[in-house]
Amino acid sequence: MKTLPHVLDGVVIASEIKAEVAREVADLTARGIRPGLAVILVGEVPASQIYVRSKVKTCGELGIFSEMITPPESVTTDEMLATVAKLNARDDIDGILIQLPLPKHVDTKRLLEAVSPDKDVDGFHPVNAGRLQSGQPGLQPCTPAGIIEILKRSGLPVAGQNAVVVGRSDIVGKPAALMLLNESATVTVCHSKTRDLPSVTRQADILVAAIGRPGYVSANMVKPGATLIDVGINRLTDPADVQRFFPGDAERAATLAKRGSIIVGDIDPAAFDLSAAYTPVPGGVGALTIAMLMHNTVKAAKLRRGIGTESR
Ligand code: GUN
């Protein structure tokens, strides 16, 4: 009899991490150090507003000080640079997060490089990318760090496993590949120019999909018994697509009718049935991102004051 795949519940793992962070915050606060996060949200992009609200709310729940800065859509790069410089200089701010995407007229790269690497809780600064690459302690991007936490806390082996990462973005694919390599996996990174992608992904014991295309990884691209990590969050609005990915799923059809869209990851849900374990969408990797941001904020507070932290 085939055993059912294990669902890697990101919500449960995120709760564990948040509880640990809350304990660390309480310890630091008792020593007169209250970790603080500044979030810059430009303009009125609804999705960004939802994310930022959630980040600020979680800070409150864990005892982290937070401050939201909300410049208008018309803000200039120079004005943003001045805001970042002030935050870099403030002792009560340990982490600075610039919510992306920024308006087209703002120089995103220049801004991300202006954030002090020691306060770069997104782990996007080239100095932190370099630290990750060279195995030095630093602040690491939240989503790929969340992937490692899911694997470790679920007791899944990484060392010696064949890990295939589909997608090579600076935010997820590349850092995920480096983190898996640092955990002694044998890592392959695939992208749009990869030849015969299914033959490569079928080698994966751990398959990470971070491409941003709904259900792109199909069942024939997966080795039975693999662990599937789905980073994608894609919105389906066409009933035909919903029927294709979730045939006969009355609940999802009803959600589509009610809300106008449903969420699917980068992996075709049919592939999950073949796996030993998989992260669901929603409720998998995405659930970890804010928990890891909180972890990074506390880590930044400690690193900046020379208080010991574990290497992660
Ligand atoms: N926009 C969507 N996700 C993220 C994230 O993780 N960090 C930042 N800064 N912006 C985002």
Side-chain angles (χ1 to χ4, degrees):
M1 197 181 76
K2 186 186 176 306
T3 49
L4 286 173
H6 179 60
V7 180
L8 302 168
D9 191 330
V11 177
V12 169
I13 296 169
S15 303
E16 281 171 25
I17 294 169
K18 284 190 276 187
E20 290 164 15
V21 172
R23 282 197 289 278
E24 284 189 87
V25 173
D27 286 349
L28 285 170
T29 306
R31 296 165 66 179
I33 301 162
R34 184 167 187 212
L37 175 68
V39 183
I40 307 177
L41 169 65
V42 177
E44 309 207 346
V45 181
S48 292
Q49 288 172 324
I50 292 168
Y51 281 131
V52 165
R53 246 181 254 137
S54 187
K55 290 169 184 176
V56 168
K57 180 166 167 265
T58 310
C59 282
E61 287 164 3
L62 305 192
I64 295 173
F65 168 73
S66 69
E67 183 166 310
M68 208 162 121
I69 297 151
T70 54
E73 163 87 21
S74 59
V75 72
T76 63
T77 301
D78 283 345
E79 286 164 344
M80 287 284 284
L81 286 169
T83 301
V84 169
K86 277 192 205 140
L87 293 170
N88 280 341
R90 272 174 60 179
D91 196 46
D92 61 333
I93 294 298
D94 297 292
I96 302 169
L97 183 140
I98 304 171
Q99 186 66 25
L100 303 177
L102 291 171
K104 284 203 172 55
H105 66 270
V106 176
D107 187 340
T108 299
K109 193 160 169 273
R110 214 171 138 206
L111 271 173
L112 295 180
E113 290 191 15
V115 173
S116 163
D118 297 337
K119 296 190 176 187
D120 169 38
V121 283
D122 259 327
F124 292 167
H125 194 287
V127 165
N128 281 317
R131 287 173 177 156
L132 172 61
Q133 195 276 137
S134 56
Q136 294 172 37
L139 296 165
Q140 303 188 347
C142 299
T143 299
I147 294 173
I148 301 296
E149 288 301 312
I150 290 176
L151 293 169
K152 282 192 172 172
R153 287 173 189 255
S154 305
L156 294 164
V158 180
Q161 299 294 101
N162 284 337
V164 176
V165 179
V166 189
R168 57 171 156 179
S169 70
D170 289 342
I171 293 176
V172 182
K174 276 188 217 168
L178 283 168
M179 288 178 204
L180 288 162
L181 184 60
N182 288 345
E183 296 293 332
S184 301
T186 302
V187 181
T188 307
V189 184
C190 302
H191 45 76
S192 55
K193 299 275 192 298
T194 297
R195 257 184 278 141
D196 194 4
L197 181 62
S199 74
V200 183
T201 56
R202 277 197 299 267
Q203 302 295 315
D205 302 308
I206 299 169
L207 180 57
V208 178
I211 321 125
R213 291 173 64 173
Y216 183 78
V217 174
S218 54
N220 73 338
M221 294 166 70
V222 170
K223 175 169 76 171
T227 292
L228 303 179
I229 305 291
D230 193 346
V231 185
I233 301 175
N234 308 292
R235 223 165 257 286
L236 299 180
T237 53
D238 183 341
D241 286 336
V242 175
Q243 178 61 24
R244 179 158 62 95
F245 289 123
F246 303 99
D249 186 332
E251 203 177 312
R252 281 196 171 76
T255 305
L256 176 68
K258 194 165 141 210
R259 301 212 188 127
S261 68
I262 66 148
I263 302 285
V264 70
D266 288 352
I267 300 180
D268 186 332
F272 291 150
D273 293 339
L274 294 173
S275 71
Y278 71 93
T279 60
V281 178
V285 176
L288 267 290
T289 302
I290 292 183
M292 296 315 291
L293 174 67
M294 301 295 118
H295 166 86
N296 273 355
T297 302
V298 171
K299 187 178 181 181
K302 288 181 167 181
L303 282 174
R304 200 159 59 83
R305 292 174 178 85
I307 302 171
T309 67
E310 76 285 21
S311 61
R312 170 162 56 79

